[in-house]
Amino acid sequence: MTIRQYIEQLKTSKDLNQNTDLENSVAKIEGFQFRMENLFENQKLNPEILSKIEQILNLIFIKEENTNSCFANSEEVRSEYKQSFKIFDLLDYVNAFTHSSFYKESHQISIGTETTFFWEMVKIGSDLRKSEK
């Protein structure tokens, strides 16, 4: 799946059954908020939003899709040890968030400081993406 296809899927995703864990987690987030349509500008990631996400999570954004320069960034490493994230991680996070009732009411995506929560949401979003194919 390409990034463009994923973004189109996000825009047209079906309303799935509510995930109680997702709802409870999203309700607790207090942090930076942005609208999904502002995440990209001129078909590129908005650098201001991306920079803010990096600061809040204290993670480095890796632009290259197939970069895995050290074991600390491997998919097999527990989330609390990961030091970076990629575009599909961010899109999976957004995907999970867009399935919450908070998003449906506010049309805002929140990023909190808990990296563990970020990676949990990435996992939920990834699972949703795979189930919507």
Side-chain angles (χ1 to χ4, degrees), residues 3-24:
I3 294 169
R4 184 179 302 256
Q5 290 170 323
Y6 194 177
I7 293 167
E8 287 304 312
Q9 181 179 319
L10 281 173
K11 292 177 183 175
T12 60
S13 69
K14 301 173 196 114
D15 197 15
L16 302 176
N17 295 333
Q18 280 193 341
N19 179 326
T20 306
D21 292 337
L22 172 66
E23 293 297 326
N24 290 337

Side-chain angles (χ1 to χ4, degrees), residues 9-20 22-23 26-27 33-37 93-110 121 124 128 132:
Q9 181 179 319
L10 281 173
K11 292 177 183 175
T12 60
S13 69
K14 301 173 196 114
D15 197 15
L16 302 176
N17 295 333
Q18 280 193 341
N19 179 326
T20 306
L22 172 66
E23 293 297 326
V26 166
Q33 294 184 345
F34 61 93
R35 291 187 168 282
M36 188 169 77
E37 58 267 18
Y93 179 92
V94 169
N95 188 20
F97 212 94
T98 60
H99 284 84
S100 70
S101 59
F102 175 85
Y103 177 80
K104 289 175 177 84
E105 293 170 11
S106 70
H107 300 285
Q108 297 281 327
I109 297 166
S110 295
M121 291 287 283
I124 291 169
L128 288 168
E132 291 175 347

Side-chain angles (χ1 to χ4, degrees), residues 38-49:
N38 296 334
L39 184 57
F40 290 90
E41 71 179 24
N42 300 324
Q43 299 184 349
K44 293 185 179 182
L45 277 172
N46 182 323
E48 291 174 19
I49 292 176

Side-chain angles (χ1 to χ4, degrees), residues 54-65:
E54 285 180 305
Q55 287 175 344
I56 290 168
L57 293 172
N58 198 24
L59 294 173
I60 299 167
F61 176 71
I62 297 179
K63 294 177 186 174
E64 293 81 31
E65 281 301 307

Side-chain angles (χ1 to χ4, degrees), residues 69-80:
S69 57
C70 70
F71 187 71
N73 296 320
S74 168
E75 298 295 323
E76 298 167 7
V77 173
R78 291 188 350 213
S79 59
E80 60 267 27

Side-chain angles (χ1 to χ4, degrees), residues 50-51 53-64 67 69-70 73 81-87 89-90 115 118-119:
L50 186 57
S51 176
I53 292 169
E54 285 180 305
Q55 287 175 344
I56 290 168
L57 293 172
N58 198 24
L59 294 173
I60 299 167
F61 176 71
I62 297 179
K63 294 177 186 174
E64 293 81 31
T67 301
S69 57
C70 70
N73 296 320
Y81 295 111
K82 289 184 180 181
Q83 299 172 351
S84 63
F85 65 100
K86 298 176 186 174
I87 183 67
D89 297 326
L90 182 56
T115 56
F118 174 80
W119 292 114

